[in-house]
Amino acid sequence: MKPLHFKSITTKIIAFGFSITLITFIFALLIFSSSIEYLKSEIHDHNQYVAENAAQSIDLFFKTIEENLYTSAASYEIGSVLEKRRGDLLPYLIKLPPYIKEITVLDRGGADISRASRERFVSRPETNKKRTSLPLKVLIKENIHFSKIHNTGFGEPWITVTVPVKSGARVKGWLSEDISLKGFWHSITGIHFGEKGYIFTVDENGKVIAHPDWSVVIKGINLKANHQVVRFINKWEGNNILSYKNENNIEVIGTYAVSKKTGWGIIAEQPVKEAYAQLYNLKNKLLALIVVSLSSAVFLSIYLGWRLTSPLKELKKKAEEFGKGYLKSKISIKRDDEIGELALTFNNMADSILDKTNQLKLANVNLQEMLGCTIKSLATVLDGKSSWTAGHSERVLGYALSIANHFDNSSDFLENVKICSLLHDIGKICIPEVVLEKTDIFTDDDMKIMKEHPLHGARILSSIRQFENIVPAIRHHHEHYNGCGYPDRLSGEAIPFIARILSVADAYDAMTTDRHYRKARDLSDAIEELKRNAGTQFDPQIVEAFLQIILNERGFISAIKNMTATACK
């Protein structure tokens, strides 16, 4: 191989193209690298800001509820109900904010004294209402108590908040308010960033208590497998910018914030495709820049190599002719540069390939002739083991090919049928002649030996690579369509198609030719036997096709019966 020198066209084009590509790559890499991490960080900081604002809104809401509840506990109306142990709280309830759905005054022991409810809220199932007495731990602590979040039958979330009503330092009763969270939750979960970003809230165990899809809340779904929920439960800190799959198998980025008042986790998620839309735009711009740069490089490279057009067209034309099989095509380019060397190399290669191709064609012809002679020789040897079976393979070949043509006349298929027909009984070479020539009724031992000939045939041919496609047909040509044949008791479509063809052709020839143990049956008896065993021993479709051939083509049977084994030419 000659070393490249500076004046060669190849060197100039490679150097110029490499320089342009390298400059473009470095420029694009600098732009992309300097922007990608910054943009990701900005996106996640914004989502974190949204989640923290939602957490602060929750804290502010419950702080307001707590302050209002203590104010109500100190009011004259509540004190009066406790003193008199009776009273109508509805007028007082009407004055309170509409999200307070029910108020209850309880005595010091937590027993219900008086209650007032807004009409719609009363329709919630009785089983969802709070018990008429307070839990023991609330009575002992004598402090504000927040219950778990519940849902009414129509999906309205609510929570019970209870505070002690005191006279000085002594607790003289309790004030409990059932507060609807529906409007507040809608304002929180209705927060969107981008078009598809959303917020949901979970408790310290990962159970959803607020979600844009209220069916998730009503079903009490737990999302502790969610990546951000895991981070919240385990109190992992830091701004994790890695994407993950959410419960809907959508790739998202997310973050979380914690409500200091309730301890709940506020999870903010946004689909990656939307969140990183700017990055994708940047990527497209980068690709456009690369395309422009490469286009410029191509244009300039064409300018440097325009004189190569004519010889390259000649080279392309000859290469196409060569590819189509015109191996004698030669390139008539006389140059002292790389193109001239390429043309000379091409011509030398063409001469070499042409010579090798001719040798391969001759070898293939000889191989095919040798294979054909081998097959016929094997069939002749097989038929020669017994004077009663002379010509059997050739006759089976005629019957089988007539059937095969009815279904598939492709050359490869017919060639396989031909080989299988001639060699289907090759395994009988391994059967003792005393069994093959026996005129008495076969014993069980004789039948066992005879039934082994398909296995012997498959074993003999399996060692020859060219016969690997026909081995299954040789092995299974004595299988029965109903599964009662041998050697593997296959049935129906599990039996190779060629084997099913051989089964009919072999049986027909056996019935209509003289054997040492019986005389040939006439044509009508053989046809009735095929009909009778169609669907049990034989494939009914193949029997039907064979009978059509027999009945429609006069002279067909006599022509095959007169067939004699031909010598290998």
Side-chain angles (χ1 to χ4, degrees), residues 381-382 385 425-436 449-450 452-461:
V381 169
L382 176 62
K385 288 202 67 174
D425 279 339
I426 190 67
K428 288 183 179 179
I429 292 177
C430 301
I431 304 300
E433 290 188 13
V434 66
V435 176
L436 291 176
I449 294 173
M450 183 62 74
E452 290 177 351
H453 82 271
L455 296 176
H456 292 314
R459 177 175 52 80
I460 292 170
L461 297 180

Side-chain angles (χ1 to χ4, degrees), residues 523-535:
L523 177 62
S524 60
D525 286 345
I527 290 175
E528 289 302 318
E529 185 71 15
L530 290 177
K531 290 181 179 180
R532 186 163 48 253
N533 289 282

Side-chain angles (χ1 to χ4, degrees), residues 141-162:
K141 289 185 177 181
E142 296 184 351
N143 204 346
I144 188 169
H145 172 69
F146 292 87
S147 73
K148 294 182 178 180
I149 293 180
H150 305 283
N151 287 288
T152 63
F154 42 81
E156 184 173 356
W158 57 279
I159 188 171
T160 300
V161 184
T162 306

Side-chain angles (χ1 to χ4, degrees), residues 415-445:
E415 181 65 22
N416 286 338
V417 172
K418 177 181 177 181
I419 297 173
C420 289
S421 300
L422 292 174
L423 300 180
H424 71 282
D425 279 339
I426 190 67
K428 288 183 179 179
I429 292 177
C430 301
I431 304 300
E433 290 188 13
V434 66
V435 176
L436 291 176
E437 297 292 333
K438 187 173 184 179
T439 58
D440 297 335
I441 297 175
F442 277 10
T443 65
D444 291 341
D445 290 338

